[in-house]
Amino acid sequence: MRVTTLGATLPPVGLPGLDPALSRLLAVDGVLADSGATRLWHVLDTGDALAERGIDPVGTIVAVHGNPTWSYLWRALVSGSLARAEAGATAWRVVAVDQLEMGFSERSPLRRTLGQRIADLGALVEELGIRGPVVTIGHDWGGPVSLGWAVENRDRLAAIVALNTAVHHPEDAELPFALRVATARGMLAAGTTGTTAFLDTTLALADLDPAVKAAFRAPYATVARRRGIGGFVADIPATPDHESTPALHRLSAGLRELDVPALFLRGPKDPVFGEDHLDDLTERLPHADVHRFEGAGHLIAEERPYAEVVLDWLDEKVRDAGTPAPRSSRSAAAPAPADDAPGRLWDALEARRDDDDTAVIDMSTARDGAPLRVSWRQLAARVDELAAGLDAFGVRAGDRVSLLVPPGPTLTAALYACVRIGAVVVVADRGLGISGLSRAVRGAVPDVVIGEVAGLAAARALGWPGRRISAASLPAVTSRALGVEASLSDLARAGRGRSLPAPPAADADAAVLFTSGSTGPAKGVVYTHAQLTALRDTLAAHFDVAADTGLVTGFAPFALLGPALGTRSATPDMDVSAPRTLTAVSVAAAVRASDARIVFLSPAAVANVVATAGALDADDRAALARVRTFLSTGAPVGIDLLRRAQELMPNAVAHTPYGMTECLLVADVTLPEIEAAAGDRGVCVGRPLGTGQVRISAIDAEGRSTGEPTTDAGVTGEIVISAPHLKRGYFRLYLTDREARRGLPERWHRTGDVGHLDADGRLWVEGRLPHVITTAEGPVTPVGIEQDIETVPAVSRAAAVGVGPLGGQVVVAVVEAGATRPGLASPDLTEQVRAATSQRLAAVLVVPTLPTDIRHNSKIDRSRLAAWAERVLAGEKPAAP
């Protein structure tokens, strides 16, 4: 059916996912410039369907599309809400409109401005008799229209939801490229109305089924029916004198006064609405829940299950006629301690500001043939100068500052200066790879980027947001090319003698630390000042850190804690984003220079230190013999590797703490304790540190964590933790936050790791929740099987993965055993591997190298391996996984 009439009409029958019975035409009296006319709207409305089923909705969701879509965009919300209502869940009426001049609503000669469209929507809502509570949801330019109505109708508003939209465009900023092209002189009519170019470009932003694309095109078959597309583009208020700019300013200002629940869902791969637009929205509504769907773009409603998210969120936030839903009252464990850690992260630095002893040693920078040393007095003064200089530069409390500087005195001073004035430091290391690092930095929307030339060049080339500060002073031509406004030396000079702003509150955000990306896109983990202080205190108390202890760390997350702990620190000469670059000689040199008693390394770094131990001389070995505590964390550490590391530090107690970016220290165990506890399945990581707590949520037959958290011994399930230094949450990942706290009291966290507690209260880690193998006999965890297989002399590393359908998977072993090509293992190796474990194996495959994360070089990507193994066993020619 080809629609050519300019009047309103019902959509053609047969559009995928759209129930024709929910379409209706509605006559509405025009308003403002349209007064005196009666306009016919097309809407999708579940009101009659609910009434026919005898269901009373708790309220109405008014859904407003953007340009050049129509109400079809909301079909999943329409059908999903009905299905839930029929199943007895909370019932919401959904009214999804076709804006006038769009979709299957009437075309008219009127050029509709933003203010007109907001008034049009108000007239429609009145005609439908919708009083409240109302939830508005908008996408694209339907965002300002729906939010404009929300601001003007607060008395009946229950909540607001927005997908990829904006309510403000800086006067000095260009429009996005796609819109500059569409609005260019001579292009507007041709690209938006005369042809289907604008429509085609929009639909190409997602991988849509051809039938779905055809459905979106259905209302726009002729030039006359596409006039609204051009009108919408022409109405973009990109300049101060545009006729729709006042309406946009009114609604954007009014958002600051809304206190109803708000949800922003965003696809980051959007060429129109950038992270700065989302940043603006969250600044206006700081209480809003935000989730960024990595990999999704502008047409997020077509790429992600947004309808489920919205309806679940309404159940949580706006239940029973707009009253807030109660939080879970489950009490699987006692509440965690509150965020009341005393003091500030920089207390020790302040206390030693008149001390000329060494605070930080830079092993990569020589001065007079010796490593660069910075005293406590120098460091404290530099931090004060940089803090005051940043304040003069315009950095304020809550601003995000991305630090692209390797560990050392420069990074240390910059970080503590930021923390001192309440700026939120963003730390994402190069171990994420350039694409992962770019995704992390762009997603954090920094206000300022501080970096070396390589980092600043990447920021420039990849379009990272934020003002630029160089770590070192640069030639003027280089600064201009990189967009650098000042160097740290410039800031220090500007800050000299200036007073500092008031320190931040303990519960204010202090840092966004990005995960390694080993289990999906790297996530930003948010810590408050109180939580970082609690981490400092836990570390100091457990490992007995004092002023003369000395710390050598080749593990990036802890490389900056020396000043907080009040002890001198040194980072070995290495690339901390590539731990395999660390050698035994470099560690010994750092220990000797700092007279350190504690050495903290990542597992990958330890492996290379052990491998290069032959280069140590007598002085190196004597320095390492003075170490009394050796720590390795960040990933599981094998007992043999710990033993070999301790041979290099014979007087040290070897520890392997368990933690993750979300809670850097959870539990700890020593090598003697591991050896005494041998015989259980998995990796023993010891008992909780300090006041931290650990529980286990049992997994069901499908590998899901569904059990009530318990401390009972022998229960295998997801590891659930609580500690004063547990993160506040994830940065703009509402769904991830919700899953991490699912069914738990406040200040508890689902780690995604699986394991069990033994009879002595020690925690054993058995793998990751997504890697649980669901066999017909029940769920199987991988680590115990891998430990069995790694006893085979020919095997250096192993992974156990599941192949097949959920609940009927078989176990496949994938091993590193000196093979140069991937494929099936030899009959002899297969027999040895099968004999090493009691677990029945469907196949044994070999690879030259197992895929691991970059940061640790030890977290095996079992999900990737499982998909590869399934393809190989299905007959596909083996390639590298």
Side-chain angles (χ1 to χ4, degrees):
M1 174 183 171
R2 178 179 168 86
V3 178
T4 60
T5 177
L6 299 184
T9 183
L10 295 175
V13 175
L15 300 184
L18 189 66
D19 182 355
L22 301 178
S23 280
R24 62 183 293 195
L25 299 179
L26 186 70
V28 181
D29 290 339
V31 292
L32 298 185
D34 216 12
S35 294
T38 298
R39 300 301 180 192
L40 202 56
W41 294 63
H42 168 254
V43 300
L44 301 176
D45 186 356
T46 64
D48 289 345
L50 291 171
E52 290 169 2
R53 294 160 173 78
I55 299 172
D56 292 325
V58 298
T60 303
I61 302 172
V62 176
V64 187
H65 67 85
N67 188 29
T69 56
W70 56 287
S71 57
Y72 184 71
L73 182 78
W74 306 112
R75 64 194 182 282
L77 183 62
V78 170
S79 60
S81 65
L82 265 181
R84 289 191 178 211
E86 290 172 339
T90 305
W92 288 91
R93 178 187 181 186
V94 177
V95 175
V97 308
D98 281 5
Q99 298 196 62
L100 291 172
E101 329 303 340
M102 301 294 288
F104 290 96
S105 286
E106 180 180 341
R107 269 56 173 172
S108 75
L110 184 66
R111 180 167 179 249
R112 296 185 185 274
T113 63
L114 174 60
Q116 180 69 48
R117 290 193 176 278
I118 293 171
D120 291 341
L121 180 63
L124 173 71
V125 170
E126 293 303 319
E127 183 64 32
L128 287 167
I130 299 171
R131 302 311 306 163
V134 174
V135 176
T136 65
I137 180 170
H139 169 254
D140 187 79
W141 295 111
V145 175
S146 63
L147 293 171
W149 183 92
V151 166
E152 294 177 2
N153 294 272
R154 301 172 199 176
D155 57 327
R156 51 182 133 169
L157 191 66
I160 56 174
V161 181
L163 283 61
N164 283 51
T165 192
V167 297
H168 174 71
H169 186 77
E171 294 181 5
D172 58 347
E174 283 190 312
L175 283 175
F177 177 76
L179 293 183
R180 292 204 305 273
V181 172
T183 56
R185 186 181 299 274
M187 290 295 293
L188 177 59
T192 61
T193 305
T195 71
T196 60
F198 190 81
L199 178 60
D200 295 339
T201 299
T202 302
L203 297 180
L205 295 176
D207 184 15
L208 302 180
D209 182 273
V212 171
K213 279 190 177 183
F216 276 115
R217 294 179 189 279
Y220 305 116
T222 67
V223 171
R225 288 193 63 82
R226 289 194 293 271
R227 282 204 305 263
I229 297 177
F232 242 130
V233 173
D235 193 47
I236 296 171
T239 61
D241 57 353
H242 192 283
E243 59 188 318
S244 284
T245 296
L248 188 67
H249 285 173
R250 282 195 302 274
L251 80 90
S252 60
L255 286 179
R256 299 184 187 279
E257 300 174 13
L258 291 185
D259 59 0
V260 297
L263 174 65
F264 299 138
L265 303 178
R266 170 161 167 74
K269 293 172 62 177
D270 189 335
V272 179
F273 300 108
E275 297 289 351
D276 54 335
H277 293 120
L278 177 61
D279 209 34
D280 174 74
L281 281 167
T282 57
E283 190 273 330
R284 295 173 192 279
L285 289 164
H287 67 280
D289 295 311
V290 182
H291 190 83
R292 300 170 71 257
F293 288 95
E294 286 294 348
H298 180 71
L299 291 176
I300 182 176
E302 299 296 320
E303 299 181 88
R304 295 295 186 270
Y306 83 95
E308 296 176 23
V309 174
V310 169
L311 294 170
D312 285 345
W313 178 79
L314 289 175
D315 279 347
E316 179 184 352
K317 302 283 186 175
V318 193
R319 196 190 307 167
D320 298 332
T323 59
R327 292 196 56 82
S328 169
S329 60
R330 293 181 65 182
S331 54
D339 289 342
D340 56 358
R344 304 285 184 175
L345 194 64
W346 58 88
D347 286 343
L349 181 60
E350 180 66 26
R352 300 191 68 172
R353 66 166 41 255
D354 296 324
D355 192 335
D356 289 315
D357 283 348
T358 298
V360 180
I361 302 173
D362 185 354
M363 299 301 297
S364 63
T365 302
R367 179 171 292 178
D368 298 328
L372 174 65
R373 293 175 178 268
V374 177
S375 71
W376 291 99
R377 184 192 301 273
Q378 292 170 321
L379 181 59
R382 189 67 167 181
V383 168
D384 284 353
E385 291 170 353
L386 287 177
L390 286 166
D391 181 60
F393 188 70
V395 179
R396 297 291 178 260
D399 286 354
R400 290 183 293 277
V401 179
S402 179
L403 299 175
L404 303 176
V405 183
T410 300
L411 176 60
T412 301
L415 182 141
Y416 282 89
C418 290
V419 170
R420 170 60 185 83
I421 64 172
V424 181
V425 296
V426 177
V427 181
D429 67 54
R430 286 180 293 162
L432 295 174
I434 191 61
S435 62
L437 178 61
S438 183
R439 184 169 53 239
V441 174
R442 287 180 64 86
V445 204
D447 299 284
V448 175
V449 175
I450 301 176
E452 295 186 322
V453 170
L456 294 171
R460 185 74 165 185
L462 298 171
W464 297 347
R467 302 170 69 188
R468 312 291 160 77
I469 298 172
S470 61
S473 297
L474 302 175
V477 64
T478 305
S479 291
R480 285 195 298 271
L482 296 175
V484 170
E485 298 182 43
S487 68
L488 288 178
S489 294
D490 294 334
L491 294 187
R493 282 192 295 273
R496 206 160 290 151
R498 287 176 59 99
S499 59
L500 292 172
D507 61 354
D509 290 347
V512 179
L513 309 180
F514 276 86
T515 63
S516 67
S518 60
T519 57
K523 300 181 288 291
V525 179
V526 182
Y527 279 90
T528 66
H529 287 266
Q531 290 153 7
L532 289 181
T533 303
L535 171 65
R536 175 202 67 189
D537 295 344
T538 300
L539 184 64
H542 186 75
F543 295 106
D544 193 23
V545 181
D548 61 348
T549 299
L551 174 67
V552 168
T553 175
F555 185 49
F558 289 97
L560 297 161
L561 278 177
L565 293 165
T567 194
R568 63 188 170 277
S569 59
T571 300
D573 188 7
M574 65 176 295
D575 179 353
V576 293
S577 67
R580 285 173 290 181
T581 61
L582 182 63
T583 66
V585 170
S586 294
V587 173
V591 169
R592 188 163 49 245
S594 60
D595 193 25
R597 296 296 182 266
I598 299 178
V599 173
F600 209 144
L601 306 176
S602 73
V606 174
N608 203 57
V609 167
V610 168
T612 58
L616 294 170
D617 61 22
D619 288 342
D620 293 333
R621 292 185 181 276
L624 293 176
R626 292 196 293 273
V627 175
R628 62 173 173 79
T629 303
F630 163 65
L631 313 173
S632 186
T633 190
V637 186
I639 189 170
D640 290 338
L641 183 58
L642 280 177
R643 286 169 176 155
R644 285 184 287 165
Q646 187 164 34
E647 288 175 4
L648 302 179
M649 294 170 272
N651 298 312
V653 177
H655 293 253
T656 175
Y658 165 68
M660 63 282 305
T661 309
E662 293 85 347
C663 189
L664 290 165
L665 290 173
V666 174
D668 180 45
V669 67
T670 65
L671 177 57
E673 290 170 338
I674 294 173
E675 292 174 324
D680 215 323
R681 304 287 282 175
V683 176
C684 181
V685 296
R687 298 177 178 84
L689 278 77
T691 59
Q693 300 178 65
V694 173
R695 302 288 185 268
I696 303 296
S697 174
I699 52 177
D700 61 20
E702 294 184 352
R704 298 173 304 182
S705 172
T706 56
E708 188 78 11
T710 179
T711 57
D712 292 348
V715 175
T716 294
E718 184 176 17
I719 299 168
V720 177
I721 62 172
S722 179
H725 52 279
L726 176 67
K727 50 83 175 162
R728 177 183 67 75
Y730 293 103
F731 185 72
R732 294 183 179 174
L733 291 172
Y734 160 73
L735 296 179
T736 309
D737 265 328
R738 189 177 70 182
E739 175 57 26
R741 67 174 190 268
R742 172 176 51 87
L744 300 176
E746 290 292 331
R747 303 292 301 138
W748 281 81
H749 172 73
R750 294 183 177 274
T751 65
D753 289 336
V754 290
H756 68 275
L757 294 166
D758 65 19
D760 293 320
R762 292 171 298 213
L763 177 63
W764 295 72
V765 178
E766 301 179 55
R768 292 284 297 167
L769 193 62
H771 302 157
V772 171
I773 304 165
T774 57
T775 72
E777 292 76 32
V780 173
T781 55
V783 170
I785 303 169
E786 294 163 357
Q787 290 172 322
D788 293 340
I789 295 171
E790 287 169 358
T791 63
V792 175
V795 174
S796 56
R797 268 198 308 193
V801 299
V803 170
L806 192 68
Q809 292 182 321
V810 294
V811 182
V812 174
V814 186
V815 302
E816 289 180 10
T820 57
R821 294 181 179 178
L824 290 170
S826 68
D828 180 56
L829 179 59
T830 297
E831 183 179 349
Q832 292 180 54
V833 169
R834 282 179 167 154
T837 180
S838 60
Q839 177 63 49
R840 185 167 53 202
L841 301 177
V844 179
L845 304 177
V846 293
V847 292
T849 306
L850 291 168
T852 63
D853 67 299
I854 298 173
R855 180 186 290 178
H856 303 291
N857 189 37
S858 57
K859 293 183 178 179
I860 298 170
D861 191 340
R862 297 188 186 93
S863 297
R864 178 174 160 189
L865 272 180
W868 172 82
E870 188 152 1
R871 294 194 302 270
V872 170
L873 295 177
E876 184 177 303
K877 183 179 179 180

